[in-house]
Amino acid sequence: MPLFRRTPEPTGYRPTETEVADAAAKLNAGSHHAAYDLTAHSGDRRQETAMRILGHSIEDAE
């Protein structure tokens, strides 16, 4: 039995910076649909995508 287990690489779509910035701009405008759709399409990378969108939305708001 190995001491450490390697988990498989996450599968799913990793959105480009342009897609994330677009979803963040729409989120700041009051529409969550683009962010929700992009996050749902990301598969195992949902949490990473959501954090990237939120990060961009905070940067845009400043």
Side-chain angles (χ1 to χ4, degrees):
M1 181 171 173
L3 183 59
F4 298 104
R5 285 190 177 178
R6 292 189 82 180
T7 58
E9 185 70 26
T11 58
Y13 177 69
R14 188 171 196 277
T16 63
E17 289 297 319
T18 305
E19 292 172 318
V20 170
D22 182 50
K26 290 178 181 175
L27 185 62
N28 283 341
S31 175
H32 71 280
H33 298 290
Y36 178 81
D37 291 342
L38 192 59
T39 304
H41 182 63
S42 296
D44 289 345
R45 299 179 186 269
R46 283 186 305 263
Q47 185 175 8
E48 174 190 352
T49 301
M51 295 307 291
R52 289 175 62 204
I53 292 170
L54 289 174
H56 272 278
S57 68
I58 291 169
E59 290 173 3
D60 293 343
E62 291 179 346

